[in-house]
């Protein structure tokens, strides 16, 4: 199999903190009438995109790998489907969605005809590996658990029955009026009692235990250590001082976005999602590998999830003293397959040549802006304008296009009644953004939308702001290219180290479009001097 390594060019943008937010892009994509990013039928394009400061023409390494695909059809991938309907179709998903011109993507670097094809026809057609700040590409290749004398024995995870776990969870989450749970010790030995004590305390943070003798039988009594405040917070004294407070691990996931994955992990671990941190959200319709950090959860507990989770794998565990922060990554490495290619061999070769030799304008892609008729940038703009009624309306109102059946019913109920409790009853999944906002409205009332919105995790809230910044960036880049073309001009910005500086009249011949960067709008930002 031939591999062609290519260099392409780019207009740089500032490092995104959330470059693939809300990523459920399923689209028969016009790669271009005048585009340069396509590939031939049965080929995959492997691309390393790096996003320190966003340059206008992407300067990347791409490997074009002809894919000698068998004629046999692969098994159909199981997709998340509507609870009372068929799996979402690509056409339905994008019928009411955005076009490239809606989000400022209007210019191309070359004038060849181009071709079209289907991107992400299967989620396995899009493979993402995160690139850390140190340039290391994340791979899941080690399932071993760091040896730690402080860790409980493996028996900790099996000593409690399913019924015991159910009762303990209800006690931990204060779901009933019981103030304690009694677990009979069948084989009464000190060792057995110790294991049960450890199991309750490690699997159900916030609960304490004691041993009682009742009618000649030994019972382990579990109870709340400090009421609601202890809920889901690992006990401080149970964590060894010599061990880093954060367990870092590599998460492999299929067909789930990062925030959904975090919600699933937190549910199984019985903790709050906000104790997890990560450097960037990854696409839903993809296979992705990225680093995650979690506060005071042992590698042993995390590794145990590999036995009970579908489409997830966790590994490469280590303990460190710091969480992860959004944007602290160098970029992502993508392997992409395009299917159902339309175009002649000459058109495909022209596009591949252009991609290798010239590159592409490094716009923020469609996944940044959502896949429904309500773009995320509209919500971001309303937040910046302090128009909280519009924020609430945009997130909750009915919208055309394919969505899960329960979301459609929730939106219809909201439009009809404006009653958070009634709309919430239509949602079996309460941890989605809509469910979180409705819970906030129920808690704080319709006149305190800001506090209600604050219940949505910070990373999700930031996604809307980043989307609007990206929308402005795309539009300004298109206007810049329309005005000055693909050359450096006086007043443009370029990078010297990590600092943006203006290109002066006398130095303009020393720069090309490859050197030009554009800033995201924000606080304390240097802007170009030209119009």
């Amino acid at each position: 199999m031939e591999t062609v390594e290519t260099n392409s060019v780019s207009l740089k943008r500032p490092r995104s903190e959330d470059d693939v937010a809300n990523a459920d892009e399923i689209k028969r994509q016009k790669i271009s009438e005048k585009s340069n990013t396509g590939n031939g039928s049965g080929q995959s394009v492997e691309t390393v995109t790096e996003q320190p400061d966003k340059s206008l023409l992407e300067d990347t390494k791409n490997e074009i790998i002809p894919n000698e695909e068998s004629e046999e059809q692969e098994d159909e991938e199981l997709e998340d489907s509507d609870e009372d309907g068929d799996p979402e179709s690509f056409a339905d998903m994008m019928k009411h969605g955005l076009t490239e011109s809606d989000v400022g993507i209007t210019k191309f670097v070359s004038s060849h005809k181009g071709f079209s094809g289907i991107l992400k026809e299967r989620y396995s057609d899009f493979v993402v590996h995160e690139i850390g700040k140190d340039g290391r590409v994340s791979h899941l290749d080690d399932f071993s658990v760091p040896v730690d004398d402080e860790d409980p024995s493996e028996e900790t995870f099996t000593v409690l029955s399913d019924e015991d776990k159910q009762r303990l969870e209800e006690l931990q989450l204060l779901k009933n009026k019981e103030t304690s749970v009694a677990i009979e010790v069948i084989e009464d030995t000190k060792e057995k009692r110790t294991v049960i004590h450890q199991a309750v305390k490690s699997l159900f943070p916030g609960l304490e235990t004691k041993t009682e003798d009742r009618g000649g039988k030994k019972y382990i009594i579990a109870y709340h250590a400090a009421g609601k405040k202890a809920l889901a917070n690992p006990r401080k004294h149970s964590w060894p001082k010599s061990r880093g407070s954060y367990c870092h691990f590599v998460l492999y996931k299929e067909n789930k976005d990062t925030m959904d994955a975090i919600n699933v992990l937190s549910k199984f671990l019985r903790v709050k999602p906000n104790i997890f941190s990560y450097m960037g959200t990854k696409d839903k319709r993809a296979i992705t590998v990225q680093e995650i950090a979690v506060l005071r959860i042992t590698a042993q507990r995390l590794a145990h999830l590999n036995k009970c989770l579908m489409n997830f794998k966790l590994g490469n565990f280590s303990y460190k003293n710091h969480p992860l922060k959004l944007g602290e990554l160098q970029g992502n490495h993508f392997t992409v397959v395009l299917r159902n290619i339309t175009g002649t061999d000459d058109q495909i070769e022209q596009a591949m040549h252009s991609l290798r030799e010239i590159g592409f304008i490094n716009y923020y892609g469609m996944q940044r802006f959502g896949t429904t008729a309500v773009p995320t940038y509209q919500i971001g703009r309303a937040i910046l304008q302090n128009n909280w009624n519009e924020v609430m309306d945009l997130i909750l109102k009915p919208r055309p296009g394919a969505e899960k059946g329960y979301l459609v019913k929730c939106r219809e109920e909201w439009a009809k009644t404006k009653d958070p409790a009634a709309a919430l009853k239509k949602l079996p999944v309460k941890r989605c953004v809509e469910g979180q906002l409705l819970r906030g409205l129920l808690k704080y009332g319709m006149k305190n939308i800001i506090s209600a919105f604050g219940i949505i995790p910070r990373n999700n809230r930031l996604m809307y702001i980043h989307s609007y910044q990206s929308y402005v960036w795309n539009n300004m880049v298109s206007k810049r290219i329309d005005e000055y073309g693909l050359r450096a001009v006086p007043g443009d910005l370029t990078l010297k180290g990590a600092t943006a500086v203006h290109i002066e009249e006398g130095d303009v011949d020393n720069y090309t479009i490859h050197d030009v960067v554009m800033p995201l709008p924000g606080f304390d930002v240097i802007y170009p001097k030209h119009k």
Side-chain angles (χ1 to χ4, degrees):
M1 181 182 289
E2 180 189 7
T3 299
V4 184
E5 190 170 280
T6 68
N7 288 309
S8 61
V9 281
S10 106
L11 286 181
K12 289 189 179 134
R13 64 189 176 201
R15 176 188 294 155
S16 152
E17 290 189 344
D18 190 19
D19 205 35
V20 277
N22 199 22
D24 191 9
E25 177 192 4
I26 306 163
K27 177 179 179 184
R28 179 172 180 87
Q29 187 167 355
K30 173 85 172 168
I31 300 298
S32 73
E33 191 147 308
K34 301 177 178 178
S35 125
N36 47 23
T37 56
N39 197 356
S41 179
Q43 293 184 333
S44 73
V45 183
E46 185 171 345
T47 338
V48 181
T49 60
E50 298 188 5
Q51 43 190 19
D53 281 276
K54 180 83 171 157
S55 85
L56 293 150
L57 293 180
E58 182 56 35
D59 223 353
T60 67
K61 295 277 187 180
N62 305 302
E63 294 174 6
I64 315 293
I65 308 173
N67 180 13
E68 296 167 3
E69 190 175 358
S70 156
E71 290 295 315
E72 295 176 13
Q73 281 288 14
E74 294 179 13
D75 292 339
E76 286 299 314
E77 308 290 4
L78 289 174
E79 296 299 331
D80 289 338
S81 61
D82 191 305
E83 63 180 2
D84 33 43
D86 298 324
E88 299 160 350
S89 74
F90 311 117
D92 284 344
M93 283 297 294
M94 296 313 297
K95 193 185 298 178
H96 303 281
L98 300 169
T99 64
E100 290 176 343
S101 59
D102 290 333
V103 297
I105 301 174
T106 60
K107 299 296 176 183
F108 298 92
V109 298
S110 54
S111 57
H112 62 270
K113 183 171 176 56
F115 63 91
S116 49
I118 293 180
L119 177 65
K120 298 186 180 179
E121 182 176 25
R122 304 167 186 169
Y123 71 75
S124 55
D125 287 347
F126 203 76
V127 181
V128 185
H129 288 266
E130 189 173 70
I131 305 171
K133 203 164 44 174
D134 57 0
R136 184 176 52 83
V137 180
S138 289
H139 290 280
L140 180 60
D141 52 18
D142 182 3
F143 291 98
S144 64
V145 175
V147 178
D148 193 328
D149 293 338
E150 301 280 351
D151 281 336
S153 66
E154 187 63 28
E155 194 182 356
T156 297
F157 297 98
T158 57
V159 70
L160 297 173
S161 69
D162 289 341
E163 183 185 351
D164 288 337
K165 288 178 181 176
Q166 179 68 32
R167 291 165 61 214
L168 287 164
E169 181 175 359
E170 288 175 356
L171 175 67
Q172 183 202 35
L173 300 178
L174 304 167
K175 284 187 174 178
N176 55 33
K177 294 179 181 178
E178 299 294 328
T179 57
S180 65
V181 166
I183 301 166
E184 184 181 353
V185 184
I186 305 297
E187 302 164 19
D188 182 21
T189 63
K190 185 175 181 182
E191 290 74 19
K192 186 64 177 278
R193 293 198 301 272
T194 299
V195 170
I196 295 175
H197 283 296
Q198 287 180 336
V200 173
K201 290 174 182 178
S202 60
L203 298 180
F204 300 90
L207 296 184
E208 286 289 355
T209 57
K210 60 185 177 182
T211 303
E212 282 187 5
D213 199 322
R214 296 182 179 179
K217 293 182 180 179
K218 285 285 193 334
Y219 287 85
I220 305 295
I221 310 299
Y223 60 96
H224 264 291
K228 291 188 177 182
K229 287 186 179 178
L231 178 61
N233 287 323
R235 295 171 309 125
K236 290 184 178 179
H237 64 270
S238 68
W239 195 263
K241 291 181 180 179
S242 60
R243 182 198 285 165
S245 292
Y246 294 87
C247 185
H248 288 232
F249 62 95
V250 170
L251 171 67
Y252 167 98
K253 63 180 180 62
E254 297 180 4
N255 208 28
K256 271 258 193 267
D257 72 29
T258 301
M259 287 172 279
D260 283 344
I262 295 296
N263 284 335
V264 171
L265 295 179
S266 63
K267 179 182 175 185
F268 273 81
L269 292 166
R270 303 178 182 88
V271 296
K272 293 180 178 177
N274 61 8
I275 69 171
F276 290 87
S277 57
Y278 46 87
M279 294 183 286
T281 56
K282 302 291 178 271
D283 300 65
K284 174 186 175 182
R285 193 174 175 80
I287 292 173
T288 72
V289 182
Q290 70 181 115
E291 189 174 347
I292 305 285
V294 60
L295 176 64
R296 292 186 173 177
I297 298 292
T298 64
Q300 192 180 28
R301 282 184 71 188
L302 293 167
H304 195 69
L305 295 179
N306 285 330
K307 298 176 183 177
C308 51
L309 289 178
M310 295 282 289
N311 300 332
F312 291 94
K313 285 292 177 189
L314 289 68
N316 297 76
F317 302 103
S318 62
Y319 292 108
K320 298 180 182 177
N321 285 316
H322 59 85
L324 296 170
K325 293 181 180 177
L326 277 175
E328 279 189 335
L329 72 170
Q330 202 175 102
N332 296 288
H333 178 285
F334 298 93
T335 304
V336 178
V337 179
L338 300 176
R339 299 185 186 275
N340 292 23
I341 298 301
T342 61
T344 65
D345 288 347
D346 283 346
Q347 288 167 349
I348 291 165
E349 181 47 44
Q350 269 187 323
M352 290 295 94
H353 178 80
S354 175
L355 175 64
R356 283 191 298 266
E357 301 303 322
I358 304 172
F360 55 94
I361 301 169
N362 197 17
Y363 287 116
Y364 284 101
M366 299 301 292
Q367 74 275 9
R368 172 54 71 99
F369 306 102
T371 56
T372 66
V374 177
T376 49
Y377 72 78
Q378 287 185 3
I379 299 171
R381 180 166 53 200
I383 291 168
L384 291 171
Q385 292 172 335
N386 276 324
N387 190 341
W388 294 101
N389 282 304
E390 186 178 354
V391 170
M392 177 178 68
D393 188 50
L394 287 169
I395 292 174
L396 296 176
K397 72 179 182 180
R399 54 186 68 178
E403 280 196 307
K404 301 288 179 219
Y406 56 77
L407 263 180
V408 173
K409 290 173 183 173
C410 170
R411 295 188 193 287
E412 287 172 350
E413 183 66 34
W414 174 256
K416 187 169 65 179
T417 65
K418 289 290 189 290
D419 180 351
L424 205 54
K425 283 179 182 175
K426 303 290 184 182
L427 278 183
V429 180
K430 302 290 193 291
R431 296 193 182 204
C432 59
V433 167
E434 292 81 2
Q436 288 159 335
L437 179 57
L438 287 168
R439 281 212 323 270
L441 292 169
L442 203 55
K443 181 175 181 180
Y444 294 107
M446 298 286 284
K447 293 185 178 178
N448 195 351
I449 301 170
I450 298 179
S451 295
F453 183 71
I455 280 190
I456 298 170
R458 182 172 183 272
N459 287 351
N460 300 51
R461 302 196 308 265
L462 282 174
M463 176 185 71
Y464 298 120
I465 306 295
H466 296 160
S467 178
Y468 184 64
Q469 287 178 298
S470 305
Y471 171 79
V472 173
W473 194 91
N474 280 358
N475 278 281
M476 291 302 101
V477 165
S478 291
K479 289 180 185 297
R480 153 68 180 77
I481 291 171
D482 190 48
E483 186 73 25
Y484 300 114
L486 294 170
R487 61 191 177 90
V489 298
D492 273 333
L493 289 171
T494 188
L495 287 182
K496 287 204 173 166
T499 306
V501 297
H502 292 102
I503 297 175
E504 303 299 336
E505 183 85 49
D507 294 329
V508 74
D509 292 338
N510 297 326
Y511 297 96
T512 70
I513 193 66
H514 301 253
D515 303 306
V516 175
V517 298
M518 289 277 275
L520 276 172
F523 174 74
D524 197 23
V525 171
I526 300 170
Y527 293 102
K529 287 181 177 176
H530 50 59
K531 77 176 192 179

